[in-house]
Amino acid sequence: MASGDEHRGEGDYGDAATMGALRQMHAGYAWADVASLEPAAAAGPAVRVRGAAVRAVGRRVAFLVLRQGSATVQCVVAGGSRGMARFMAGLSRESVVDVAGVVSLPREPVRGTTQQLVEIQVEKLHCISRAVPNLPISVDDAARSEDDVARAKAAGEQLVHVGQDKRLDYRVIDLRTAANQAIFRVQCQVENIFRQVLLSEGFVGIHTPKLIGGSSEGGAAVFKLDYNGQPACLAQSPQLHKQMAVCGGFKRMFENYSTFRAEGSDTHRHLCEFVGLDVEMALRDHYSEVCDVVDRLFVAMFDHLSKSCARELEAIQRQYPFKPLKYLETTLRLDYDEGIRMLQEAGVHVEPMGDLNTEAEKKLGELVRDKYDTEFYMLCRYPSAVRPFYTMPCPDDPRYSCSFDVFVRGEEIISGAQRVHDPELLAAQAEARGIDVRTIAAYVDSFRYGAPPHGGFGVGQERVMMLFCGLGNIRKTSLFPRDPRRLAP
Amino acid sequence: MASGDEHRGEGDYGDAATMGALRQMHAGYAWADVASLEPAAAAGPAVRVRGAAVRAVGRRVAFLVLRQGSATVQCVVAGGSRGMARFMAGLSRESVVDVAGVVSLPREPVRGTTQQLVEIQVEKLHCISRAVPNLPISVDDAARSEDDVARAKAAGEQLVHVGQDKRLDYRVIDLRTAANQAIFRVQCQVENIFRQVLLSEGFVGIHTPKLIGGSSEGGAAVFKLDYNGQPACLAQSPQLHKQMAVCGGFKRMFENYSTFRAEGSDTHRHLCEFVGLDVEMALRDHYSEVCDVVDRLFVAMFDHLSKSCARELEAIQRQYPFKPLKYLETTLRLDYDEGIRMLQEAGVHVEPMGDLNTEAEKKLGELVRDKYDTEFYMLCRYPSAVRPFYTMPCPDDPRYSCSFDVFVRGEEIISGAQRVHDPELLAAQAEARGIDVRTIAAYVDSFRYGAPPHGGFGVGQERVMMLFCGLGNIRKTSLFPRDPRRLAP
């Protein structure tokens, strides 16, 4: 109940309807964070803590574990009223509770909480949001690693394993696990470092439209809609508009954006909506300038994540074990031809001028890791036939293109290239792929007003996160994932 | 032509097809930026510069002005070949040109270029991208201020004025003006400061889905689409999912995101697609904690923009004159009732429990500016009836709500509030507004698993930019704007 005057808990415990009521009842106690509580030699400070009730035990001496983010602390009703102990025991799991009390030293280190050397002697206890008694999934079950479930099973014990679909159905509860709290904090840093490195190199952050006429870059995987009577679709990438922005005089730019793909197939690495990180830049001499940016950017990112997110990466590892990514200080660049040779020498059948399938990419990742000791590398100079129509052919041999892909743990995460800035060649290459040039006229025309040579790349943020932490399923890296079947919650 | 071997300009001038050809022909010259060329006492350095041809004049002594971003420099063919001078004179405006030559001191300061104390003695001159001879609009015309056109007209002169629609039709050329280059650099900082201030206060950047089932928050202004056979729409804001993320244990979060509104009306302040900046956070005692964040965030942003973007703001002011925004170190907060009183005392008819229309908001902005000397202020405690269903009523008087709007130069830019975290009250308030609760069941249910009191706000990035610089039309602040009529380019 939100209207103010109905709090049953006017005493030391009870339900409280409003923040205002709680403020009055807990006056004199100072707000504290569970994670920053510290042991004090003398009588500790009088603190107020809000958190989720994890579990309550006991009758005469009642204990309540309170969780705030990833931190937990034990709260004790020692000499307190029986009424309070009963009230505590009756709190449903995940209810949001305010505890006011004194920070104290437990007789022995507390087991099973992140705060082991302090506890709180409860003086006031009020519930501000009751969870339903029967939760559809429990945070403890959702936080369990597959190894733990397997080990228990081997020992004849039965532990609940929460499947991926059920997790996502009740994502609001699933997100409360330590691993999930960490995954989205690390991912925030992926985006942040991407932006900061590029800003420091003179790139400008821009926003291109997601609602576009025509059919984006062609292909079937496009969401269509009605735009005030005009046929429109959701851009599959900022490709066309970011190139137009280069023609508009922005020499170096980046974009973080929502990307929409009406993917038909349910895989571990595709989402129907994801966060794209895109770069486009004017070139001086060679498309390797784009590779240089990728190199500096991602090496800086991996370095930074390992250092500044160590605690979060540990939390992820506890539930989803993975080995740290192997990468070099200067990123390895291989020519596509060399990759083909390595695969052929390893007995893998590949077409020299065809595309690599997922399996061949995986195998090449292994060969490269064994030979060069890196799981992060670039493959350059792809055959023109397997790249999009706007890709610049190599000047010395137009069967090849000024393009590259980047791989992490054997999976592609980045595609990049020099683009065609000549409008006639661009139109010819589009036509050769069966694209109706009239639908991209504004794009082609933008190269008729003077266009600098340029190139860029795009990468999916969730894929970076999935592969850096070896998470195995991209749904783990999306707050509320969208796949061919899932549109909720 | 992109294939390498067809450069007619193998000598000192001509057309060059590829970057590789240019690299060879201009070997020995070092890349330089126009903006950072500096006068040298002795013979200057041999430099290479790529830019757009602004204008070429002369026959025997030929001059070419080259533009790079917002910087321009004069290039001179002094003792050079007549052929080169002829080639130079034949370059169409906006063609992309590489000049290799020596930095030197002009006999007298150059007029009409940003580099007035240096010029380049051209030794090699090659064109890498020819613009069509008849451009649909010229950058000079697009860069002209309305004042200049009016002044010329008063003096009997006729200067071309490029209208808003024509600018947007040829946005790729329009974006090359100094004002537009500046607008999008400042706007990048708006987003950047938003992110950095919040990150420094422990907020986590998240991404909520834009593709959602149901009908977003209700109302007609929703783009609908088919999601693999399921009815779906584009989220009008991250409102529902950012609240669900708070329930998922993220105590403080923000999002930069694409927002879609199928607006029917063509106004100066509405776009069908814009960049939202959103915040949601758990509250301790009172929704004023959200106001505190707004206060710190925007004062820091305005301070920073004025200091670090001074050059860009000047460039905008040259084309679109505006007065610096008046704001206080601590943002003024008025109660809605007080605002009503001020308007009534000024003789404006307003309903005490109704919403303010745009005109009344404008008038109140003037009254507040006159009385408090600020054009940036918050109006708090709006009547519940004029706020969305998820707004928390005031505990002391449910006719009012824990909500606020923020105004810049008399226009609303931010809406914020405490949200209802009690699922029963939330469902009741939704029903009272005629919303089918079944369509938002996942949202309402997420408050059944323990939900902390929380609140937040949302702001449109383009609107911040428009109002900070008094630009008068939001289309000026969107790279490729989308309004009810415009879906291209």
Side-chain angles (χ1 to χ4, degrees):
Chain A
M1 302 304 297
S3 49
D5 37 21
E6 202 176 315
H7 41 87
R8 280 166 287 163
E10 284 174 353
D12 291 341
Y13 63 91
D15 286 299
T18 68
M19 294 189 297
L22 276 167
R23 186 171 63 242
Q24 282 173 20
M25 292 187 290
H26 293 203
Y29 297 85
W31 280 108
D33 283 333
V34 169
S36 35
L37 293 176
E38 286 196 355
V47 297
R48 221 180 128 184
V49 166
R50 181 171 296 158
V54 175
R55 58 182 168 275
V57 284
R59 284 200 154 224
R60 208 162 310 170
V61 183
F63 298 94
L64 170 71
V65 173
L66 216 65
R67 188 190 69 238
Q68 205 182 62
S70 308
T72 47
V73 67
Q74 175 169 280
C75 306
V76 192
V77 184
S81 74
R82 274 197 196 183
M84 187 189 280
R86 255 198 315 270
F87 178 77
M88 189 186 262
L91 286 170
S92 49
R93 283 183 180 206
E94 297 300 317
S95 293
V96 178
V97 170
D98 273 22
V99 163
V102 176
V103 179
S104 68
L105 302 174
R107 278 192 211 147
E108 50 191 62
V110 185
R111 288 171 59 186
T113 52
T114 62
Q115 284 287 10
Q116 308 194 309
L117 304 179
V118 289
E119 60 183 14
I120 298 175
Q121 298 287 336
V122 183
E123 295 176 351
K124 309 211 173 208
L125 173 70
H126 292 92
C127 179
I128 192 162
S129 171
R130 289 251 175 196
V132 291
N134 294 308
L135 293 169
I137 61 174
S138 91
V139 177
D140 279 352
D141 291 342
R144 201 165 281 136
S145 77
E146 291 187 14
D147 284 4
D148 280 349
V149 177
R151 256 196 301 274
K153 198 173 176 188
E157 223 186 314
Q158 192 72 21
L159 283 181
V160 174
H161 172 72
V162 187
Q164 181 73 37
D165 257 358
K166 196 157 190 190
R167 281 175 194 282
L168 295 180
D169 287 342
Y170 301 100
R171 189 65 160 162
V172 165
I173 303 174
D174 182 44
L175 285 173
R176 299 176 189 177
T177 65
N180 275 333
Q181 290 289 312
I183 283 173
F184 293 96
R185 282 178 168 76
V186 174
Q187 197 166 174
C188 166
Q189 286 306 314
V190 168
E191 183 171 3
N192 193 40
I193 298 160
F194 176 88
R195 295 176 54 92
Q196 292 309 309
V197 170
L198 292 171
L199 285 170
S200 76
E201 295 202 7
F203 285 76
V204 183
I206 63 162
H207 291 277
T208 62
K210 307 301 154 235
L211 291 168
I212 58 177
S215 56
S216 196
E217 294 142 65
V222 160
F223 287 109
K224 287 177 185 149
L225 51 92
D226 172 79
Y227 187 89
N228 298 319
Q230 300 176 63
C233 71
L234 291 173
Q236 291 175 287
S237 87
Q239 185 62 37
L240 309 189
H241 284 89
K242 72 178 181 173
Q243 287 188 250
M244 289 161 78
V246 172
C247 294
F250 295 94
K251 273 174 68 181
R252 324 188 97 199
M253 78 190 67
F254 67 87
E255 184 170 13
N256 305 128
Y257 61 100
S258 299
T259 311
F260 306 96
R261 305 255 168 105
E263 300 282 357
S265 51
D266 236 334
T267 80
H268 78 285
R269 55 192 248 113
H270 289 94
L271 289 171
C272 293
E273 179 176 347
F274 63 91
V275 178
L277 306 175
D278 248 82
V279 162
E280 199 71 18
M281 56 191 272
L283 299 173
R284 287 177 158 178
D285 289 322
H286 197 270
Y287 79 95
S288 61
E289 294 157 32
V290 182
C291 301
D292 295 343
V293 173
V294 170
D295 183 5
R296 286 194 298 271
L297 179 55
F298 281 84
V299 171
M301 185 186 292
F302 297 152
D303 283 353
H304 183 93
L305 291 179
S306 305
K307 269 180 229 156
S308 70
C309 299
R311 216 159 40 97
E312 284 82 5
L313 293 171
E314 253 179 60
I316 298 169
Q317 254 166 336
R318 271 195 297 275
Q319 181 161 6
Y320 305 114
F322 68 92
K323 285 195 185 142
L325 181 72
K326 285 185 177 187
Y327 61 98
L328 305 174
E329 261 179 75
T330 304
T331 305
L332 174 70
R333 299 180 199 186
L334 287 180
D335 267 2
Y336 191 82
D337 277 353
E338 171 66 13
I340 293 289
R341 245 190 320 274
M342 286 173 70
L343 283 167
Q344 285 173 334
E345 278 168 17
V348 181
H349 176 76
V350 277
E351 287 294 336
M353 300 303 283
D355 212 351
L356 297 178
N357 61 23
T358 311
E359 218 172 312
E361 287 177 347
K362 202 95 196 164
K363 180 68 187 168
L364 184 55
E366 288 168 21
L367 296 171
V368 167
R369 188 192 56 210
D370 293 348
K371 185 166 177 187
Y372 297 99
D373 201 33
T374 180
E375 295 168 309
F376 179 71
Y377 75 100
M378 305 185 199
L379 202 59
C380 303
R381 242 178 108 90
Y382 270 69
S384 293
V386 304
R387 306 299 284 200
F389 73 92
Y390 46 75
T391 311
M392 182 67 95
C394 287
D396 61 323
D397 184 349
R399 292 176 307 153
Y400 291 90
S401 62
C402 299
S403 66
F404 64 94
D405 274 5
V406 184
F407 294 87
V408 177
R409 300 190 201 261
E411 294 193 35
E412 181 259 316
I413 54 159
I414 301 176
S415 255
Q418 182 183 344
R419 327 296 185 183
V420 176
H421 62 277
D422 178 294
E424 309 313 329
L425 179 63
L426 186 60
Q429 291 196 175
E431 258 166 37
R433 308 293 175 99
I435 293 169
D436 183 350
V437 178
R438 285 169 305 176
T439 64
I440 52 167
Y443 166 67
V444 175
D445 283 346
S446 54
F447 301 99
R448 300 192 194 282
Y449 314 132
H454 62 283
F457 65 90
V459 51
Q461 180 173 302
E462 290 87 349
R463 229 176 246 188
V464 174
M465 186 62 205
M466 170 178 79
L467 290 169
F468 184 70
C469 291
L471 288 170
N473 191 325
I474 198 146
R475 290 163 186 77
K476 290 196 175 77
T477 66
S478 179
L479 207 54
F480 296 99
R482 296 294 180 249
D483 67 27
R485 289 174 303 112
R486 181 175 290 279
L487 184 61
Chain B
M1 303 301 297
S3 50
D5 38 20
E6 201 175 310
H7 42 87
R8 283 165 285 164
E10 282 174 353
D12 290 343
Y13 64 91
D15 285 299
T18 67
M19 293 188 298
L22 277 167
R23 185 172 61 244
Q24 281 172 24
M25 292 187 292
H26 293 202
Y29 297 86
W31 280 108
D33 283 333
V34 170
S36 35
L37 293 176
E38 285 196 357
V47 298
R48 218 181 132 186
V49 166
R50 182 171 296 157
V54 176
R55 57 182 168 274
V57 285
R59 281 200 156 230
R60 205 160 312 165
V61 182
F63 298 93
L64 171 72
V65 174
L66 215 66
R67 188 191 68 239
Q68 206 183 59
S70 308
T72 48
V73 68
Q74 175 170 278
C75 306
V76 191
V77 183
S81 74
R82 274 198 197 182
M84 188 188 282
R86 254 199 314 274
F87 179 78
M88 190 185 263
L91 285 170
S92 49
R93 283 183 179 206
E94 297 300 317
S95 292
V96 179
V97 169
D98 273 21
V99 163
V102 175
V103 179
S104 68
L105 302 174
R107 279 195 210 145
E108 47 193 68
V110 185
R111 288 172 59 187
T113 52
T114 62
Q115 284 287 11
Q116 308 195 310
L117 303 179
V118 289
E119 59 183 16
I120 299 176
Q121 299 286 337
V122 182
E123 294 175 350
K124 308 213 173 205
L125 174 69
H126 291 91
C127 180
I128 191 161
S129 171
R130 289 251 175 195
V132 291
N134 294 309
L135 293 170
I137 61 174
S138 92
V139 176
D140 280 351
D141 292 343
R144 201 165 283 137
S145 76
E146 291 187 13
D147 284 2
D148 281 348
V149 177
R151 256 195 303 273
K153 200 175 175 187
E157 222 186 314
Q158 192 72 21
L159 283 180
V160 174
H161 172 70
V162 187
Q164 181 73 39
D165 256 358
K166 196 156 190 190
R167 282 174 194 281
L168 295 181
D169 287 342
Y170 301 101
R171 189 66 160 163
V172 164
I173 303 174
D174 182 45
L175 285 173
R176 299 175 190 177
T177 63
N180 274 334
Q181 290 288 314
I183 284 173
F184 293 97
R185 281 177 169 78
V186 175
Q187 197 166 176
C188 166
Q189 285 306 314
V190 168
E191 183 171 3
N192 193 41
I193 299 160
F194 177 88
R195 295 175 54 91
Q196 291 309 309
V197 170
L198 292 171
L199 285 169
S200 77
E201 296 201 7
F203 285 76
V204 182
I206 62 162
H207 291 277
T208 61
K210 307 301 155 236
L211 292 167
I212 58 177
S215 56
S216 195
E217 293 142 65
V222 160
F223 288 110
K224 289 178 182 147
L225 51 91
D226 171 80
Y227 187 90
N228 298 318
Q230 300 176 62
C233 72
L234 291 172
Q236 291 174 286
S237 87
Q239 185 62 37
L240 310 189
H241 284 90
K242 72 177 181 172
Q243 287 189 251
M244 289 161 77
V246 172
C247 294
F250 294 95
K251 272 175 70 183
R252 324 188 99 200
M253 75 189 70
F254 67 87
E255 182 170 13
N256 304 129
Y257 62 98
S258 299
T259 311
F260 307 96
R261 304 256 168 106
E263 299 283 356
S265 52
D266 236 335
T267 81
H268 78 283
R269 57 191 249 113
H270 289 96
L271 290 170
C272 292
E273 180 176 348
F274 62 91
V275 178
L277 307 175
D278 249 81
V279 161
E280 198 72 17
M281 58 193 270
L283 299 174
R284 286 176 160 178
D285 288 323
H286 197 271
Y287 79 95
S288 61
E289 292 156 34
V290 181
C291 301
D292 295 343
V293 172
V294 170
D295 183 6
R296 287 194 299 271
L297 180 54
F298 281 85
V299 170
M301 184 186 291
F302 298 152
D303 284 352
H304 183 93
L305 292 179
S306 305
K307 270 179 229 155
S308 70
C309 299
R311 217 160 38 96
E312 285 81 5
L313 293 172
E314 253 178 59
I316 298 169
Q317 255 166 337
R318 271 195 298 275
Q319 181 160 7
Y320 306 113
F322 68 91
K323 287 198 183 136
L325 181 73
K326 286 186 177 185
Y327 60 97
L328 306 173
E329 260 179 74
T330 304
T331 305
L332 174 70
R333 299 180 200 185
L334 288 180
D335 266 3
Y336 190 81
D337 277 352
E338 171 67 13
I340 292 288
R341 242 190 321 270
M342 287 174 71
L343 283 167
Q344 285 173 334
E345 279 168 16
V348 181
H349 176 76
V350 278
E351 286 293 334
M353 299 305 283
D355 212 350
L356 297 178
N357 61 24
T358 312
E359 219 172 310
E361 288 177 346
K362 202 94 194 167
K363 181 66 188 168
L364 185 56
E366 287 167 21
L367 296 172
V368 167
R369 188 192 56 210
D370 294 346
K371 183 167 178 186
Y372 298 99
D373 201 34
T374 181
E375 295 169 308
F376 179 70
Y377 75 100
M378 305 185 198
L379 201 57
C380 304
R381 242 181 108 90
Y382 270 70
S384 292
V386 304
R387 306 298 286 199
F389 73 92
Y390 45 76
T391 311
M392 182 67 94
C394 287
D396 61 325
D397 184 351
R399 291 175 308 152
Y400 291 91
S401 63
C402 299
S403 66
F404 64 93
D405 272 7
V406 184
F407 295 87
V408 177
R409 299 189 201 261
E411 294 194 34
E412 181 258 314
I413 54 159
I414 302 176
S415 257
Q418 181 183 343
R419 327 297 185 183
V420 175
H421 64 276
D422 177 291
E424 308 313 329
L425 178 63
L426 186 61
Q429 291 196 173
E431 258 167 36
R433 310 290 175 100
I435 294 168
D436 184 348
V437 178
R438 284 168 306 176
T439 63
I440 51 167
Y443 166 67
V444 176
D445 283 347
S446 54
F447 302 99
R448 300 191 194 283
Y449 314 133
H454 62 286
F457 66 90
V459 52
Q461 180 172 303
E462 290 88 349
R463 228 176 247 189
V464 174
M465 185 64 202
M466 170 178 78
L467 291 168
F468 185 70
C469 291
L471 288 170
N473 191 326
I474 199 147
R475 289 162 188 79
K476 290 197 173 79
T477 65
S478 179
L479 207 54
F480 296 99
R482 297 293 181 249
D483 66 27
R485 290 173 302 115
R486 182 174 288 281
L487 184 60

